[in-house]
Amino acid sequence: MTAAAILWIDGDAAHALQVRQLIAEHQPDWALVHSPTLDAGASAFTSHPWDAVVLCLEPDVQHLPALLELCADSVVLMCITAAQEALAARAFRSGLGDYVVRPPAGDVSHLPELTWRLGELLQGRRAARKPAPGVDTVISSEALARLQEQRAALQGTLESMTQGILKTAPDGRITVYNQRVLELLNLPESVMATRPTLADVTRLQRERGDFGLGDSHVDRRAHHDVAQGTSGRVPEVYWRTTRDGRTLEVRTCQLPDGALVRTFADVSDYVRVESDLRESETRFRSLSDLSSDWYWEHDAEGRFVQMAGDVGTKGIPISSVLGRTLWEIGALNMTEVDWEMHRAALQSHQPFRDLELQHQRPDGSLHWISVSGVPVFDEHGALRGYRGVGRDVTERKQAELQIEHLAFYDPLTGLPNRRLLVDRLQHATAAARRAGSQGALLFIDLDNFKDLNDTLGHDVGDQLLQQVARRLTGCVRESDTVARFGGDEFVVLLEGLSAEPGVASSEATLVACQISTTLAKSFELGDGAYHSTPSIGIALFGSKPCSVDELLKQADLAMYQAKAAGRNTQRFFDPDMQAAVNARAVLEAELRRGLHERELVLYYQPVVDGKGRLLGAEALVRWKHPRRGLVSPNEFIPLAEQTGLILQLGQWVIEAACAQLVAWSRSPLTRQFVLSVNVSVRQFRQPNFAEQVLGALQATGANPERLKLELTESLMLADVEDIIARMERLRVFGVTFSLDDFGTGYSSLSYLKRLPLDQLKIDQGFIRDLQTDPNDAAIVRTILALAASLDLAVVAEGVETTGQLEFLQRHGCTAYQGHLFGRPMPAELLERAMRPVIR
């Protein structure tokens, strides 16, 4: 073998060293230069002519055609892995001489074959050089064998390809093809034996109803992100659908000599998946457009990147949302502290639900949205962002406000009514005790109002009440409360007065005088003027414990003293009236003794269905006083609440109720009874309340499913999550829950839907006047509709007339309690009364 200059491009230094040693041993005339990179190898081409170039390449070489073009004057051998054989197949079109498959790292068994093939290529190159004039050119049998061997290797490569491939000469005849192209195009191999042109095959396929290879029409352009051909032009890429429904991707590339190379790949699965994806996206878009919700995604920084659904109609232009975070968009009801809490939840990758946000529409109207989201992670567990849903909850919020307004505001004047006043007064007295300050309650009655109604009519009287309400509101601070107590009676609640009783009295007097002066001015009623004066009673609170009822009574009594003093004046509550307080102290001592002596008993008021059948009863505690006889709970329950005796009393009631359930379980007539027990807020908030109830059930053997605990709405004013947890703790064992006196307190509908409730009880205050008071009737209808939507049962309390019953039945109520069906009674009388009440 003669001398040869060889450029060896190999990124594996150890492999290159083994080659150098082998060549030095067996081919000492070869001069081998090692280049570790393609860039270094490319620069070497300009510095020296090379007889051979050996390429040991990485798996993906983007500029292989250009590299082979640099090697045009040298023989080229590729040393590749088995996975790179397709790369070698493409390289043959650009001048590759041969290739050797390299085994896994560390195995050098391929090196002898590599040096042999390299030698053969060098020898063939010399034999193929143009001979000198007068010298015959003879192709030896050995060279012909090598040529046939290379052709066989090329054909083997073509047959191993998953793509179909064919090559046409410049005259249009097909010169190279593989078996895969015959399969994809459904062509018999006999056609190829005639060395047809592209036009011949096209004509045959058209006759068979399939597409022609030479057709220029493009059904659908594919993405042009393909490698460039040897001519430097991007190959033409298009899809065709065959007669049997398959889709082929066709790529055509023209070589510099005018020949064409065309490849065919079956992309039916890809097209089908893409079609299914488009259909899925279309279906999702359609559902999004029909849904009242909308769907969103935001990235790991909280910026919205996608929205689906008709968001624009909800007052949220998409252009104002995409690319921004929730806190950048802002909300009227959120403070910076609220947003900090939300961002902290996102940073800890926690889901969030029912985040309610208030916005203002371009027309100035307000609307609410509720947003919920969950985190989305990639395959490595890294946060990609959040996705979730949003919905417009404006109507629900308005319904909440409407129910609140119906329950807590006077429809004539718009002022807080008695219920809301009592609630605020409870908070005010508690706040005054904590702060060490005092407050005042002003009870205002309009003098001679009855005469106005009798002479000018109720319409004129209503006008006066509305004007009085506006003037009273103008006499106090925004933090104070003006309420209509009923009829022509108004109450003003002043908070934050001085802790010094004398100063507080002066502050309250100043406000009372301003009210008297303001109300003494003439009122324009109809066509004339009217003069009215107020009588005002004042009661201070804060220095000593005092219940809301007591405070109202004190202010009311002081108002009557003002009237007795000649009207149009004010009076403070007389301290001499503390006799009532002393009486309460006596009552407290007797109640403690009564609890110890077991003087308390349970009475049971029936609960019936629409046909008068007994469903169960409500347990009501009574006190059998040794001297006073049967004492109503209205006298001692408030006292028990204030003194803490309600805890001992409430536990006794639960234990006695469980014992009664056990007694009823022994009879088939009563074993299905459900017994309701009232639970005070203070009792329910005891840390061990659930354990006390479960202990009573276990000790007596009562069925938990027959015990129903009645809670009040005031329980929901704080710690709602803790309340839900305690309810769920008992509900697991079968204990059910009812929300008592519904409508007299305030609980958000968003909390109401989360509470594990089974029943609502309509307060008797709404039942009493529902036939005469449209507002009460509206509230009852609203509660029944709300309960139905929440899948809650309803019991109407205080049903005393058939007219009330018929109204309730007409509007969907199915359970009733009241004097129409029976007053509270001992258990033995209730058992005897088990017969239909309604005919």
Side-chain angles (χ1 to χ4, degrees), residues 758-762 783-784 787-788 792-796 812-816:
D758 304 276
Q759 184 185 83
L760 299 179
K761 296 190 78 173
I762 305 177
I783 292 174
L784 289 170
L792 296 175
V794 180
V795 174
C813 188
T814 57
Y816 316 92

Side-chain angles (χ1 to χ4, degrees), residues 422 425 546-555 634 638 642:
V422 169
L425 190 52
C546 184
S547 71
V548 170
D549 287 340
E550 287 178 331
L551 194 57
L552 287 168
K553 290 177 181 178
Q554 290 176 3
N634 292 334
Q642 294 174 5

